[in-house]
């Protein structure tokens, strides 16, 4: 059975028309402390108005000069015409407009594959590692080898914004591969506990940066019409990484030294990212922010529909024109950035406390009750279910929209939790109870992968302004890692004190609360360019255009 913190991260995550120029953030250095304090005092009232503002923003019709986005955008498989700013793929029967950008986002999403791989790599061999490095029988040290990864990811998330703002997404992905490669090598060659702890910490730093960077990069590079579907590559990459690690770990049952081979193998995706990103494009939004408008236009022309290039560049320039200084973390305390930061942090807080870590940890026992004694095999079933849900989400993301998938996902997770609680807490036949537990567990994983997993990472950069997008993402993922650690730390203690049924019922309740939160505070971003979303959510134009 994997330690609770090893499973804690397994299902992450780890995401149109011109408008008048609107100043979304401060054009000068951050406001004085007194103004910031006043902004904080009025925050409750502004949050009360947020649902109305979101509703107004969703219902705002685009100007007649722009082609309206269709109500049912196609996914990556088929469709015709339509699409918002950023490209539509043409009017043929087969919509292949996404192929131009796919190699670039696929290369970036290899970082998520590496994330999933490092989650799964410790699933089976942790006992062999403990035996060989001299800390066998010490559950605290075994847990530390796993949890140090989360600590590193926490610091990586905090530092990601400075790297992205300075070097851009492309170069940061390459730079970030350095701790991933070095950390994997140190772990594979470790002859002591200290060495493997250092290696895992370095890997965690790299993963912390990547979990922020990849969804941000995809949201800024992908054409609007395909942004949601392509954004699910983060979830799909993580699932494939977990499955690859579990599959590669099968020989470890007979070879106690196989774990070193598995950790050496983790270096390969890091090298591929360094080489692959050399041929990938830079984010046109970042290029525009640093004044490289000609380069930004070349990227847009190469990836997006020709008919959308001029309009898209006008929108990007209109937003960038508001930014004449570097953003700071203190701007997340003032409107409108504080609302998005609060929503981003809340989504990850609620995601973690809806029970994903607990379900992953307890799934091994659930499968063992029905005769599947191999923890690796149980985790493989979970990974395949997660992968299937992510594939369905990729097809629905730009058809049904983020908000519907998020609400439906959490409602499905709540139903699955209550199904498990019924099987555990009520007097039913043992075979029926086991069936309910298995069904509930797999249903929970599947519905999580439909929305709670991918949408959270997709929608936060979409709601964020260009000026503070990297910092909002960094803050949100920092909250995620803190909650990830806390739930993994206290889950067993809560189960021992209150019982599995009560804890799972609490998870179900949080899932229902999150569905209600999404209904009231999340705006639909499907088919709208990042610039249109940014302008429509500005307090200066609450749902109003001239």
């Amino acid at each position: 059975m994997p330690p609770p913190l090893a499973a804690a991260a397994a299902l992450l995550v780890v995401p149109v028309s011109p408008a008048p120029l609107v100043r979304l953030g401060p054009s000068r250095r951050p406001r004085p402390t007194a103004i910031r304090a006043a902004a904080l005092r009025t925050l409750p009232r502004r949050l009360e108005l947020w649902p109305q503002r979101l509703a107004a923003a969703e219902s705002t019709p685009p100007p007649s000069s722009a082609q309206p986005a269709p109500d049912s955008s196609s996914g990556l498989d088929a469709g015709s015409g339509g699409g918002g700013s950023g490209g539509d793929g043409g009017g043929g029967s087969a919509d292949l407009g996404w192929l131009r950008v796919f190699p670039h986002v696929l290369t970036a999403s290899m970082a998520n594959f590496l994330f999933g791989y490092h989650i799964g790599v410790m699933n089976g061999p942790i006992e062999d590692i403990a035996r060989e490095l001299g800390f066998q029988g010490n559950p605290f040290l075994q847990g530390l080898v796993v949890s140090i990864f989360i600590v590193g990811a926490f610091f990586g998330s905090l530092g990601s914004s400075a790297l992205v703002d300075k070097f851009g997404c492309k170069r940061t992905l390459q730079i970030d591969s350095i701790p991933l490669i070095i950390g994997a090598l140190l772990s594979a060659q470790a002859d002591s506990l200290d060495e493997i702890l250092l290696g895992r910490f370095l890997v965690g730093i790299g993963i912390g940066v990547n979990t922020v960077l990849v969804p941000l990069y995809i949201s800024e590079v992908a054409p609007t019409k395909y942004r949601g579907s392509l954004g699910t590559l983060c979830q799909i990459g993580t699932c494939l990484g977990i499955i690859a690690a579990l599959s590669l770990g099968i020989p470890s049952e007979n070879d106690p030294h196989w774990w070193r081979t598995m950790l050496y193998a983790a270096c390969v995706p890091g090298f591929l990212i360094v080489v692959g990103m050399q041929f990938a494009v830079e984010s046109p939004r970042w290029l525009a922010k640093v004044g490289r408008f000609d380069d930004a236009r070349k990227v847009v022309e190469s990836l997006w529909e020709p008919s959308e290039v001029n309009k898209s560049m006008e929108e990007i320039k209109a937003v960038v024109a508001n930014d004449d200084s570097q953003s700071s973390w203190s701007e997340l305390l003032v409107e409108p950035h504080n609302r998005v930061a609060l929503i981003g942090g809340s989504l990850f807080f609620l995601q973690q406390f809806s029970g994903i870590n607990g379900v992953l940890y307890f799934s091994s026992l659930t499968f063992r009750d029905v005769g599947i004694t191999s923890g690796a095999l149980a985790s493989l079933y979970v990974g395949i279910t997660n992968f299937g849900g992510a594939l369905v989400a990729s097809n629905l993301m730009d058809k049904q929209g983020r908000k519907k998938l998020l609400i439906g996902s959490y409602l499905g997770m709540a139903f699955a939790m209550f199904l498990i609680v019924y099987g555990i807490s009520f007097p039913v036949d043992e075979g029926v109870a086991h069936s309910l537990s298995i069904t509930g567990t797999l249903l929970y994983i599947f519905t999580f992968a439909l929305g709670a997993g991918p949408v959270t990472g997709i929608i936060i950069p979409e709601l964020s302004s260009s000026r503070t997008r990297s910092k909002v993402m960094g803050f949100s993922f920092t909250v995620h890692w803190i909650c990830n650690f806390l739930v993994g730390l206290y889950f067993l203690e809560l189960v021992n004190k209150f019982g599995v049924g009560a804890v799972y019922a609490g998870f179900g309740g949080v899932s229902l609360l999150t569905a209600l939160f999404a209904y009231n505070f999340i705006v639909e971003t499907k088919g709208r360019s990042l610039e249109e979303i940014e302008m429509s959510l500005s307090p200066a134009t609450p749902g109003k255009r001239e």
Side-chain angles (χ1 to χ4, degrees):
M1 180 192 314
L5 290 175
L11 288 183
L12 289 182
V13 107
V14 82
V16 188
S17 49
L21 182 62
V22 176
R23 185 168 298 280
L24 190 59
S27 60
R28 298 167 296 175
R29 294 291 178 183
R31 301 182 183 183
T33 304
I35 298 178
R36 253 182 249 122
L40 286 174
R41 288 195 297 270
T42 60
L43 178 60
R45 174 56 182 161
R46 293 199 303 273
L47 288 178
E48 291 178 8
L49 298 176
W50 178 245
Q52 294 96 313
R53 181 169 291 159
L54 294 184
E58 282 186 293
S59 61
T60 301
S64 57
S65 61
Q67 181 182 359
D71 200 26
S72 298
S73 301
S74 66
L76 296 184
D77 51 353
S80 59
S85 175
D88 59 15
S93 59
D95 186 354
L96 301 178
W98 56 275
L99 284 176
R100 291 190 291 268
V101 72
F102 186 73
H104 306 276
V105 297
L106 179 65
T107 303
S109 66
M110 288 176 60
N112 286 87
F113 175 89
L114 198 52
F115 172 36
Y117 186 87
H118 278 292
I119 292 168
V121 77
M122 287 291 169
N123 194 305
I126 185 64
E127 292 292 341
D128 294 332
I129 295 172
R131 187 182 305 110
E132 189 168 342
L133 299 185
F135 56 94
Q136 185 181 12
N138 190 325
F140 173 78
L141 292 180
Q142 291 185 29
L144 184 62
V145 170
V146 178
S147 62
I148 198 71
F149 170 89
I150 298 176
V151 176
F154 168 82
F155 287 107
S157 295
L158 279 179
S160 60
S161 174
L163 291 172
V164 174
D165 289 345
K166 182 174 181 62
F167 298 107
C169 296
K170 176 179 176 176
R171 291 289 174 250
T172 302
L173 272 168
Q174 292 178 308
I175 294 170
D176 187 52
S177 296
I178 295 174
L180 289 170
I181 295 171
I182 294 176
L185 286 173
L186 282 175
S187 301
Q189 297 175 347
D191 292 319
S192 67
L193 174 64
D194 291 341
E195 290 177 359
I196 198 168
L197 285 175
L198 177 59
R200 290 286 290 172
F201 180 76
L202 289 175
V203 166
I205 290 177
I207 294 301
V209 175
N210 280 345
T211 51
V212 171
L213 183 57
V214 177
L216 189 152
Y217 175 76
I218 294 176
S219 71
E220 294 195 344
V221 168
T224 299
K225 184 179 180 182
Y226 314 108
R227 193 175 61 229
S229 296
L230 292 171
T232 60
L233 286 175
C234 296
Q235 180 84 357
I236 292 173
T238 303
C239 297
L240 290 177
I242 295 172
I243 294 172
L246 295 174
S247 302
L248 188 61
I250 293 175
S252 66
E253 298 179 1
N254 301 316
D255 183 354
H257 307 293
W258 184 251
W259 62 272
R260 294 187 184 273
T261 302
M262 296 177 66
L263 289 171
Y264 276 125
C267 299
V268 177
F271 284 113
L272 292 177
I273 292 171
V274 173
V275 175
M277 288 307 296
Q278 189 64 32
F279 301 96
V281 298
E282 180 56 87
S283 161
R285 270 91 180 188
W286 181 81
L287 290 171
K289 282 177 66 175
V290 296
R292 296 167 57 183
F293 291 103
D294 290 340
D295 292 335
R297 187 177 185 88
K298 289 178 182 177
V299 173
V300 172
E301 289 175 342
S302 67
L303 300 183
W304 298 355
E305 194 67 15
S307 61
E308 301 291 339
V309 171
N310 291 332
K311 179 163 65 71
S312 299
M313 286 304 301
E314 288 175 5
E315 290 182 347
I316 292 173
K317 289 179 179 179
V319 168
V320 170
N322 288 319
D323 299 335
D324 56 7
S325 63
Q326 290 292 323
S327 63
S328 67
W329 284 99
S330 61
E331 289 183 45
L332 299 189
L333 298 176
V334 297
E335 193 174 345
H337 314 300
N338 54 5
R339 297 194 305 265
V340 179
L342 180 61
I343 287 174
S346 298
L347 283 176
F348 274 121
F349 175 90
L350 293 168
Q351 180 201 66
Q352 291 301 300
F353 283 95
S354 65
I356 186 60
N357 296 342
V359 172
L360 289 174
Y361 175 75
F362 223 72
S363 63
S364 296
L365 292 181
T366 303
F367 280 94
R368 186 175 301 173
D369 288 339
V370 295
I372 302 174
T373 57
S374 171
L377 186 58
S379 297
L380 190 58
Y381 283 133
V382 169
I384 292 173
T385 303
N386 186 19
F387 177 64
L391 286 180
V392 174
S394 69
N395 189 47
L396 296 178
M397 193 67 67
D398 286 316
K399 293 179 180 177
Q400 300 300 321
R402 287 62 151 162
K403 186 171 183 176
K404 286 183 180 180
L405 284 183
L406 195 61
I407 295 172
S409 173
Y410 277 107
L411 290 177
M413 290 162 60
F415 176 77
M417 283 285 94
F418 295 139
L419 195 65
I420 297 173
V421 170
Y422 181 80
I424 293 174
S425 304
F426 291 88
V428 294
D429 180 76
E430 184 177 358
V432 174
H434 289 165
S435 297
L436 289 175
S437 296
I438 289 291
T439 302
T441 298
L442 294 180
L443 178 63
Y444 180 93
I445 299 299
F446 184 82
T447 52
F448 177 92
L450 280 179
V455 171
T456 306
I458 291 172
I459 202 166
I460 295 173
E462 291 182 330
L463 292 176
S464 305
S465 70
S466 174
R467 180 179 177 83
T468 59
R469 186 169 292 129
S470 63
K471 289 182 171 57
V472 170
M473 288 289 286
F475 166 77
S476 300
F477 272 95
T478 299
V479 171
H480 163 267
W481 291 116
I482 293 173
C483 296
N484 186 311
F485 181 83
L486 291 176
V487 174
L489 183 65
Y490 290 108
F491 172 71
L492 281 184
E493 185 175 339
L494 291 173
V495 168
N496 291 332
K497 185 173 184 179
F498 300 106
V500 177
V503 173
Y504 272 29
F507 289 156
V510 174
S511 297
L512 287 177
L513 178 64
T514 310
L516 184 63
F517 176 87
Y519 178 80
N520 284 284
F521 290 97
I522 299 299
V523 61
E524 183 54 68
T525 56
K526 177 190 71 172
R528 310 173 75 199
S529 73
L530 298 181
E531 289 70 34
E532 182 191 2
I533 297 168
E534 178 172 344
M535 293 178 186
S536 67
L537 295 181
S538 167
T541 56
K544 178 181 177 182
R545 294 189 188 279
E546 295 176 4

